[in-house]
Amino acid sequence: MTDLSQAMTAKYRQDYRAPFYWCDSIDLDFQLQEPLTRVTAISRLRRNGAHNEPLVLDGEGLDLVSISLDGVPFSQYEQGEGSLTLFNLPAECVLTIVTDINPAANTALEGLYKSGEAYCTQCEAEGFRRITYYMDRPDILARYSTRISADKTRYPYLLSNGNKVASGDLDGGRHFVQWQDPFPKPSYLFALVAGDFDVERNHFVTKSGRQVALEIFVDKGNLDRAGFAMESLINSMRWDEQRFGLEYDLDIYMIVAVDFFNMGAMENKGLNIFNSKFVLANPATATDGDYHGIERVIGHEYFHNWTGNRVTCRDWFQLSLKEGLTVFRDQEFSSDLGSRGVNRINNVRTVRGPQFAEDAGPMAHPIRPDVVIEMNNFYTLTVYEKGSEVIRMMHTLLGEDAFQAGMRLYFERHDGSAATCDDFVQAMEDASGVDLGRFRRWYSQSGTPELTVTDEYDADSGVYRLHVRQHTPPTQDQPQKLPLHIPLDIELYDEQGAVIALQYEGEAIGNVLDVLEAQQTFEFDQVPVKPVPSLLRDFSAPVKLHFDYSDEALAFLMRHARNEFARWDAAQMLINKAVIDGVARVQQGQEVALSRTLLAAFEDILADGALDPALKAEILALPGEATLAELFDVADIDAIHRVRGEIQRALAEGFGAALLTCYESLRLPAYRVVHEDMAKRALKGVVLGYLAALDPVQADALVREQYSSADNMTDTLAALQVANGHLLACRAELLADFEGKWAHDGLVLDNWLRLVGSKPAADVLGEVKQAMAHPTFSIRNPNRLRALVGSFAMSNQVQFHAVDGSGYRFLTDLLIELNEVNPQVASRLITPLIQFKRLDEGRKALVRAELTRLANLDGLARDLFEKVSKALAQ
Ligand code: B3K
Ligand code: ZN
């Protein structure tokens, strides 16, 4: 049980120590051959200070061939589980280590592995140790040179980081390429790719006039799907110059798309490796959502070149230093290029849904974790999305100009080095003069803070008060909580919807209130009437807000709030109230009833000719069942499902004939990827859903017609989703047609797998199992797994949580298999099993039984061990 003993070794943030040795440069030589690849690593080492400590290198799954020191065979070493320890090294030396690895047998997709015919790497967080013995930690910054040799016909392209400095032919039909990366980097940014590709080429001239070659490598035959990724890359480079003043630093930027990839993409210096899902798109294969995703991820990885690569993390506990900041940057990029309101809404959906659920579960951790067993488990919504919210709050507190001054100071101080989260906050504080003392607690405190606000109006004096109480409930990792610095953005409206200026005793008050204490009161005068407050505008902090709004006040905000986000948010609160009320009624055997106010407010939205159809679609799209479950201490899964369905039906009846009129008005000529058209298609999809709730027979005809006449994947899929979600008569026929058309293309077929996994019917598990036998499905491909099993376990609440436990059993059986094949992907898919806090006692017992089965598994990987043991400790 070697894995389990490893599993027990947690690492603590407090234990950070500078390394005993530095590595200034490393020359790598890869001889790619089947089945074994020979790796020679020549490192120039330098002792850090005076000491007699041995050098401990990390290494996993390596076959050690030889070690020599300064050219002489070396024997003073010890091989341990995951390590190689070398004794009595001189203060400076050149260490040569030769190892063999077997990339074709690497199904964990970490280190060097094969994706189809191509070789590729994934080193973050700790994958480099699967390539060679090395100090695999991010504070070791070395200059890399990489020589790759391989068969020339099968692997015409041999790629690595930096600039190509030599290439040539070798005996036996082989060739080599030599790369040199001038920028010192941590091992997690190393990359290598070898294969045969089609290449999309372009270039970018930086603001200082340097010409950068841009190359996107895709599987042969996919060149017609690479154009949008290239456009997004160019947009990213331009945007980062314009908004952040940051310029690219190498002569070449390469992106390679591969089919087997554990996550979205990886920012390796000069050579990004991408999940093909975030590169390939054309109107026939990709939805509008896919296009958005590509723009976002291409941007994200590009922005890492400065926030991540030029300034990297001192240790992995600091991950949010690069991830929270880079998510913030990619969100700003998407918002500057597209609709700010719609982007904000979707980002907030992620925080309020899955991130809040993470806070409430056994994996709760601060954005800068304190203790980690398996680092890959901490690429979380908390580190990324909440991390980005923390950066956004600083941006709100400082304003754009001071924030950018902070960024400049941060680069001035830390460019070319490994930094900490504290370093970042310090730069922001020093550049702006804004006190971020209490704000720093956001980095050390986990959980979702709750703001409870009450108000008070005195008509005689015209004084309006907001009483704000903050409280963070305990989380599994941290029982005690302290008050935080919470920026609370507000606006007040009079009965006509006009804004009331915020002031007190003749002084204007800004929109952002600084909530610092457990209880605080904010006072405003010259308030002529009792106002309707718009609170936590733009989700100015990642908190839960409690304010006792009436339906009327929320309907008022849906109409009058000046900010798009606030209008959507009011609609969400109105629906949430209705769901809470509806579930209580259903549990008492009563019918769901919606207020006239709610119905009228939504009817007005549908009828509003001035509203951006994209925002309209966001307001009309009801929150998902998993997000609604977060409203309850004990979530009644079946009741939530029923109430949500009935709300949709009641709204549809209220809309009546306007639905069809709206639907017909949204037909478009030829497909274009522009906001105006994407907005209309989004609304059309939502309206089609309401039509199906209203009249399944009429909807069946509309869906068939939309499916057969669609000239793009967005409309096609919208039709299929409605057929599937409402179990229309055409469902089986259309799904079969789609499967037949796209059986050969895994990426597109993923849409079909998602439909199968989310079928809202009791026989779904049978269909899921059948789909697993599809020739294009493979348990080794993370995209296929996530599409089919992820949709079943994460978005098919009623069926996954079936009271007979079949859903839990199915997922556990699969996780047991995946534990061997790909622990990282297993550890992602387990999420719905460990977040069982809100389930009823019966379901909880079933889940615990499955988790216990996993806990008792021989050879349980660290990844699952960490989550399973925490979940069972609940
Ligand atoms: N930095 C990578 C994520 C690596 C995940 C390792 N398990 C992609 C990104 O966030 O940009
Ligand atoms: Zn990232």
Side-chain angles (χ1 to χ4, degrees):
M1 291 278 292
T2 50
D3 267 331
L4 198 59
S5 57
Q6 269 185 343
M8 310 303 273
T9 50
K11 288 196 186 124
Y12 295 84
R13 179 167 67 85
Q14 293 302 343
D15 292 347
Y16 175 82
R17 296 186 61 175
F20 289 123
Y21 289 84
W22 298 112
C23 177
D24 296 317
S25 71
I26 174 166
D27 300 340
L28 290 162
D29 180 275
F30 289 84
Q31 293 172 39
L32 300 176
Q33 307 190 83
E34 317 283 336
L36 296 186
T37 287
R38 175 145 297 188
V39 184
T40 304
I42 306 176
S43 312
R44 265 155 293 271
L45 301 168
R46 187 161 46 87
R47 197 188 286 151
N48 181 15
H51 61 75
N52 296 317
E53 299 292 335
L55 169 67
V56 182
L57 302 179
D58 306 292
E60 266 168 40
L62 305 172
D63 211 342
L64 182 60
V65 177
S66 69
I67 305 184
S68 59
L69 193 74
D70 295 324
V72 182
F74 184 74
S75 58
Q76 298 182 60
Y77 66 86
E78 237 172 58
Q79 261 182 292
E81 187 66 52
S83 68
L84 179 74
T85 307
L86 300 105
F87 302 94
N88 304 318
L89 295 185
E92 284 186 23
C93 60
V94 178
L95 180 68
T96 303
I97 298 183
V98 182
T99 44
D100 283 341
I101 48 179
N102 184 349
N106 179 352
T107 59
L109 315 185
E110 245 197 317
L112 179 64
Y113 65 92
K114 290 202 84 173
S115 171
E117 283 307 300
Y119 285 94
C120 64
T121 52
Q122 172 55 36
C123 293
E124 187 176 2
E126 298 177 328
F128 192 72
R129 63 189 61 188
R130 293 166 188 258
I131 293 176
T132 184
Y133 285 106
Y134 193 67
M135 286 182 280
D136 192 12
R137 47 188 283 173
D139 56 351
I140 299 286
L141 304 181
R143 284 204 166 71
Y144 282 64
S145 95
T146 307
R147 184 183 190 274
I148 312 165
S149 58
D151 182 88
K152 190 170 180 174
T153 326
R154 290 178 67 191
Y155 308 103
Y157 292 99
L158 304 176
L159 315 175
S160 192
N161 319 88
N163 303 312
K164 192 193 277 195
V165 291
S167 62
D169 288 336
L170 302 167
D171 290 347
R174 294 172 66 81
H175 70 143
F176 81 93
V177 176
Q178 172 103 33
W179 294 84
Q180 179 81 51
D181 184 355
F183 292 93
K185 65 167 173 286
S187 51
Y188 81 86
L189 289 175
F190 169 78
L192 175 158
V193 172
D196 195 4
F197 303 97
D198 278 341
V199 193
E200 168 89 4
R201 292 173 210 273
N202 211 317
H203 68 272
F204 182 80
V205 180
T206 69
K207 62 177 181 175
S208 66
R210 272 189 321 100
Q211 167 121 349
V212 181
L214 309 178
E215 299 181 346
I216 299 184
F217 298 79
V218 296
D219 276 356
K220 291 224 150 245
N222 274 338
L223 209 52
D224 65 336
R225 294 209 244 174
F228 186 76
M230 182 61 86
E231 204 182 299
S232 301
L233 176 59
I234 293 171
N235 287 338
S236 308
M237 298 179 88
R238 191 178 303 119
W239 180 86
D240 215 12
E241 292 188 348
Q242 288 171 351
R243 175 92 187 258
F244 278 78
L246 297 171
E247 197 175 335
Y248 187 61
D249 52 12
L250 285 165
D251 301 334
I252 183 166
Y253 193 89
M254 296 174 281
I255 292 175
V256 183
V258 300
D259 289 332
F260 287 71
F261 207 64
N262 280 345
M263 64 270 168
M266 180 63 214
E267 70 263 26
N268 319 298
K269 184 79 188 187
L271 176 56
N272 288 185
I273 300 180
F274 267 63
N275 187 326
S276 55
K277 175 180 168 57
F278 292 108
V279 174
L280 303 179
N282 66 30
T285 61
T287 63
D288 293 341
D290 293 332
Y291 279 98
H292 274 302
I294 290 168
E295 180 180 84
R296 174 174 60 81
V297 180
I298 294 263
H300 181 97
E301 305 312 331
Y302 175 73
F303 304 141
H304 266 314
N305 190 54
W306 277 94
T307 50
N309 302 2
R310 291 287 288 254
V311 182
T312 191
C313 302
R314 186 194 70 177
D315 55 72
W316 287 123
F317 297 100
Q318 317 294 329
L319 180 61
S320 203
L321 172 71
K322 74 177 177 80
E323 294 305 346
L325 179 55
T326 305
V327 171
F328 171 76
R329 276 155 50 70
D330 85 50
Q331 290 179 352
E332 284 301 295
F333 168 60
S334 299
S335 302
D336 283 348
L337 264 62
S339 157
R340 184 161 284 273
V342 171
N343 274 291
R344 190 67 190 132
I345 286 167
N346 283 308
N347 297 331
V348 172
R349 277 190 211 278
T350 307
V351 178
R352 278 198 185 140
Q355 198 281 318
F356 282 4
E358 191 162 87
D359 277 344
M363 276 293 287
H365 54 277
I367 62 167
R368 183 188 56 201
D370 288 312
V371 49
V372 163
I373 290 177
E374 169 52 57
M375 190 52 213
N376 284 325
N377 280 342
F378 287 83
Y379 288 75
T380 57
L381 292 156
T382 301
V383 167
Y384 276 63
E385 309 300 321
K386 185 177 176 183
S388 162
E389 294 302 320
V390 170
I391 303 289
R392 184 172 297 283
M393 286 190 284
M394 281 190 263
H395 185 267
T396 302
L397 293 170
L398 272 65
E400 170 75 2
D401 290 348
F403 182 87
Q404 290 297 349
M407 290 297 302
R408 286 191 293 275
L409 186 58
Y410 171 65
F411 290 124
E412 234 171 81
R413 287 180 180 170
H414 304 289
D415 186 14
S417 73
T420 63
C421 297
D422 273 336
D423 291 331
F424 182 83
V425 181
Q426 195 62 52
M428 285 292 153
E429 198 166 50
D430 292 348
S432 67
V434 174
D435 179 0
L436 295 172
R438 177 154 295 190
F439 187 85
R440 283 176 171 78
R441 286 183 186 161
W442 281 103
Y443 282 89
S444 51
Q445 189 158 295
S446 58
T448 308
E450 303 201 8
L451 278 188
T452 307
V453 181
T454 54
D455 68 346
E456 198 186 330
Y457 178 63
D458 180 0
D460 296 338
S461 60
V463 170
Y464 180 71
R465 293 188 185 86
L466 286 172
H467 304 291
V468 182
R469 203 154 49 80
Q470 64 160 307
H471 164 74
T472 306
T475 48
Q476 187 166 326
D477 63 323
Q478 233 179 28
Q480 305 295 342
K481 305 290 180 183
L482 298 165
L484 298 160
H485 182 174
I486 298 175
L488 176 61
D489 190 333
I490 68 156
E491 196 156 62
L492 304 179
Y493 298 102
D494 71 13
E495 297 127 316
Q496 276 73 48
V499 176
I500 300 172
L502 303 180
Q503 55 186 305
Y504 188 70
E505 293 188 344
E507 284 211 25
I509 298 176
N511 285 93
V512 181
L513 310 179
D514 287 292
V515 178
L516 289 150
E517 308 301 333
Q519 300 214 25
Q520 232 168 311
T521 294
F522 298 90
E523 214 164 45
F524 310 92
D525 60 15
Q526 312 278 340
V527 179
V529 290
K530 181 170 173 46
V532 176
S534 172
L535 301 171
L536 199 68
R537 294 190 326 145
D538 263 327
F539 196 60
S540 58
V543 302
K544 286 189 181 171
L545 170 73
H546 305 288
F547 182 81
D548 194 13
Y549 279 115
S550 64
D551 281 11
E552 288 68 31
L554 291 171
F556 173 93
L557 288 173
M558 279 173 72
R559 277 190 203 104
H560 297 295
R562 283 195 308 172
N563 166 305
E564 291 194 335
F565 178 85
R567 296 181 72 177
W568 169 81
D569 204 21
Q572 294 285 299
M573 288 190 262
L574 197 47
I575 292 293
N576 288 351
K577 278 186 74 180
V579 170
I580 291 169
D581 177 67
V583 166
R585 282 168 186 268
V586 164
Q587 286 170 338
Q588 289 156 21
Q590 296 167 4
E591 294 295 308
V592 177
L594 296 186
S595 74
R596 211 26 252 166
T597 309
L598 183 151
L599 291 169
F602 277 80
E603 284 160 25
D604 284 359
I605 293 289
L606 185 69
D608 186 342
L611 199 60
D612 176 2
L615 183 64
K616 213 181 254 196
E618 296 295 346
I619 294 177
L620 296 179
L622 298 177
E625 290 168 32
T627 301
L628 292 173
E630 286 298 302
L631 297 171
F632 300 87
D633 288 334
V634 177
D636 184 336
I637 306 247
D638 302 293
I640 291 173
H641 175 75
R642 185 173 143 201
V643 169
R644 186 181 181 278
E646 291 193 17
I647 292 178
Q648 189 180 31
R649 242 184 320 279
L651 286 173
E653 275 163 21
F655 296 143
L659 281 174
L660 195 57
T661 317
C662 176
Y663 179 80
E664 294 298 342
S665 76
L666 293 167
R667 293 186 189 274
L668 288 165
Y671 183 80
R672 297 180 307 167
V673 190
V674 294
H675 176 79
E676 194 192 336
D677 290 6
M678 288 169 142
K680 288 185 178 160
R681 280 189 291 274
L683 181 57
K684 193 164 125 191
V686 173
V687 167
L688 190 58
Y690 278 104
L691 282 163
L694 189 62
D695 179 353
V697 177
Q698 182 197 40
D700 189 71
L702 290 172
V703 164
R704 282 175 192 273
E705 198 269 331
Q706 176 163 327
Y707 179 81
S708 58
S709 65
D711 69 344
N712 66 82
M713 186 52 86
T714 308
D715 285 338
T716 302
L717 209 60
L720 290 174
Q721 275 158 354
V722 171
N724 193 52
H726 293 264
L727 297 173
L728 298 182
C730 61
R731 175 189 182 271
E733 186 188 323
L734 298 193
L735 258 68
D737 182 78
F738 188 87
E739 183 275 324
K741 264 187 203 140
W742 295 105
H744 59 283
D745 189 317
L747 223 43
V748 183
L749 198 74
D750 283 346
N751 294 307
W752 177 78
L753 294 172
R754 270 186 285 273
L755 292 164
V756 171
S758 48
K759 180 183 184 186
D763 62 354
V764 58
L765 206 45
E767 289 196 21
V768 167
K769 287 176 185 164
Q770 235 172 2
M772 290 178 81
H774 192 283
T776 302
F777 184 89
S778 158
I779 185 177
R780 290 191 178 198
N781 187 299
N783 287 0
R784 298 305 91 77
L785 267 175
R786 275 191 288 260
L788 182 64
V789 182
S791 65
F792 171 67
M794 317 232 189
S795 38
N796 201 341
Q797 295 285 299
V798 173
Q799 301 309 328
F800 175 66
H801 293 287
V803 281
D804 63 0
S806 52
Y808 306 149
R809 207 156 41 243
F810 164 76
L811 181 57
T812 306
D813 287 342
L814 183 75
L815 292 176
I816 288 173
E817 206 180 327
L818 263 181
N819 179 57
E820 300 276 323
V821 176
N822 189 332
Q824 219 181 114
V825 169
S827 192
R828 294 249 153 189
L829 286 175
I830 202 178
T831 306
L833 268 189
I834 62 169
Q835 293 178 352
F836 58 76
K837 184 171 135 181
R838 299 187 199 283
L839 295 180
D840 54 77
E841 289 307 319
R843 286 178 168 108
K844 265 187 191 158
L846 291 167
V847 172
R848 280 187 168 277
E850 297 302 331
L851 289 173
T852 308
R853 193 148 70 92
L854 277 171
N856 292 332
L857 193 69
D858 242 3
L860 185 66
R862 264 204 306 262
D863 316 57
L864 284 179
F865 170 83
E866 182 166 38
K867 293 192 177 176
V868 169
S869 53
K870 280 187 185 170
L872 286 172
Q874 265 178 101

